[in-house]
Structures are given as structure tokens and as C-alpha cells.
Amino acid sequence: MTAIALELKNLGVRFGGFRAVDGVSLQVTEGELRVLLGANGAGKTTLMDLISGKTRSTQGQVLLRGKDITNWPEYRVARAGIGRKFQIPSVFRELTVRQNLCVAATREPSILRNLRWGFGRAEQSGVDEILALVGLQDLQHRQAADLSHGQTQWLELGLLTAQKPQVILLDEPTAGMTQAETRKTAQILMALRGRQTILVVEHDMAFVRDIAERITVLHLGKVLAEGSVAEIERDPKVRQAYLGSHGIAAPC
């Protein structure tokens, strides 16, 4: 039986009289790539905020490999093994691509000490692997500030991977990307599938079709449906609330 990496039990948050997330329960297994789908206001980003500790829940639990991390401070959630990538990338712009990954791969908290003392052979080998994964080998000595939008997003994916989190949360990773960049991002996530547990919020329906193993659809803060791409497309409740008559292949 596959182990459960991330489990939500009746998770919810109320802002005044408004239930932004209302009793959400789901299980994401080890190595799974799960997509969260839903219209604007469905509660997707708020759910990510609850998991990562950015927002405190008013009901329910968040379990990371069985450990209750509900309402832990954001830094403790990150240390426990939840890595999150936001729509706006956060990298060390003054460092090169390779230096960014080296800093992320080491446990030494001081950036200056890392750069002064250098990195071990095992860390360098791991950085080489991540550079290949995100397709930035030819740009490894370029300053991060000089990267394109898509390249910066791939670097941040690499930074998350280098930190070896137990679960990665991605909030609209293809926002602002060209079609070619979106396709490459799909390839990167497919390469990560099975070795990382990933939860993705995304609006690009073609991208969802390319990467999704299992989809959870949120509507008005609740789980509306869950299943494969084909099952979600056939679900009449999902069509009525979100997809319309064209299915997941339709542009959003």
C-alpha cells in the first residue's frame, strides 16, 4: 500500500462569516502529482496557505507523513518538509544559477560562508543533476538576475528540489509563460513525478491535461469532485460549476 505523504482532514478557515475553505479532506500519496482545479474564489490558494502555515485554520488538520502540523508557524512547516513556490519567483538574483542551487542544496544557513568555503563533491553532483533536470546546464554561470521569466521559474523549481522537501506546493507555475515555456515546465514536472510529492494549483487546462494523474476540483471552498482527467471531464457537477461543455482541453 502506497504511503500517504499529505493528508487534510476536514480542513477549513472562516474569515468573519465567510468560509473560504469549508471542510476539505484529501490524501496525496508519496510521489503523486495532484492538481487542484477550480474557478477563481474556489479556495485553491487559501488551501495552499493553510497547508504551508501562512494562514491559520479554524477547523480540521494537516498531516505530513502522519505528523500533525496544523497551524504551525510558516518557518516550522517549511523545516518539517513543505516546500512552496509562489507565482512570483524568489531567487538570489545577485548569484549565478549554480550558486543559487549550491546554497539551496547545503544545510549551512549562511550564504556568505557557503560561497567562501565552497561545496562538497556530493553537493556538486546533486547540483549537476538538478541543472540537467530543469534544463539550465548552459546557463549555470549566468547571474540569476539576467534570466528570462521562464528560466527564473525553472531555477526556483530547482531550488525547491535541492532542498529535498517531502511535499512541494506549486501555485500556478506557468503564469506568464509562453507556450514553449509551459511545455518545458510540464516536462520538468513529469520528470519529478514519482520522486517528489507535488500539489499544483493551475488554470492552464492544456497544462493540466499534460501533467495530471489525479485532480481535485474545489468549488466554493469545498471538494466538488476528485478523479482522473477523464473522470473529471465526465462529471456533470464539474461541467456545470467550472468546465462548461468543452472539457479540460478548453482554454481557461
Side-chain angles (χ1 to χ4, degrees), residues 182-215:
T182 297
R183 285 194 297 270
K184 180 172 176 178
T185 303
Q187 292 169 358
I188 294 171
L189 292 186
M190 290 298 288
L192 284 172
R193 196 168 78 178
R195 54 193 279 188
Q196 293 277 178
T197 304
I198 305 173
L199 185 62
V200 183
V201 166
E202 185 53 69
H203 283 294
D204 186 318
M205 296 299 98
F207 179 73
V208 169
R209 175 178 281 281
D210 284 343
I211 68 168
E213 289 180 289
R214 192 166 183 82
I215 298 171

Side-chain angles (χ1 to χ4, degrees), residues 9-181:
K9 292 184 176 182
N10 195 36
L11 192 64
V13 63
R14 181 196 294 266
F15 300 115
F18 173 63
R19 294 180 182 269
V21 173
D22 189 3
V24 169
S25 296
L26 64 85
Q27 294 181 336
V28 183
T29 59
E30 293 280 357
E32 181 184 351
L33 196 163
R34 175 72 63 91
V35 173
L36 283 179
L37 199 60
N40 289 334
K44 305 182 300 300
T45 297
T46 303
L47 187 64
M48 300 283 249
D49 290 344
L50 293 173
I51 296 169
S52 65
K54 185 178 180 181
T55 297
R56 292 181 61 86
S57 65
T58 52
Q59 70 178 66
Q61 292 177 288
V62 179
L63 304 177
L64 179 63
R65 290 183 174 174
K67 177 184 287 188
D68 191 339
I69 62 169
T70 310
N71 290 338
W72 282 17
E74 203 167 357
Y75 76 92
R76 284 192 65 200
V77 173
R79 289 178 182 175
I82 298 283
R84 184 173 183 183
K85 180 187 179 309
F86 294 88
Q87 292 183 34
I88 300 174
S90 176
V91 301
F92 299 111
R93 293 174 56 82
E94 70 280 7
L95 301 183
T96 67
V97 169
R98 187 176 192 89
Q99 287 172 332
N100 265 272
L101 292 171
C102 285
V103 169
T106 184
R107 297 182 180 276
E108 170 56 57
S110 169
I111 297 173
L112 291 177
R113 287 177 66 187
N114 280 327
L115 296 178
R116 185 180 303 123
W117 289 354
F119 303 91
R121 184 174 299 175
E123 289 163 334
Q124 295 288 358
S125 178
V127 166
D128 288 337
E129 182 181 350
I130 294 170
L131 283 167
L133 173 71
V134 298
L136 295 176
Q137 306 100 311
D138 294 342
L139 301 175
Q140 62 180 296
H141 300 301
R142 179 175 295 183
Q143 193 171 355
D146 297 330
L147 297 178
S148 70
H149 172 71
Q151 291 163 348
T152 305
Q153 298 279 8
W154 302 329
L155 174 57
E156 191 174 28
L157 271 175
L159 297 182
L160 279 175
T161 304
Q163 294 166 31
K164 299 180 180 178
Q166 296 177 35
V167 176
I168 292 177
L169 309 179
L170 303 179
D171 197 348
E172 297 191 30
T174 65
M177 287 189 178
T178 65
Q179 287 187 355
E181 289 172 335

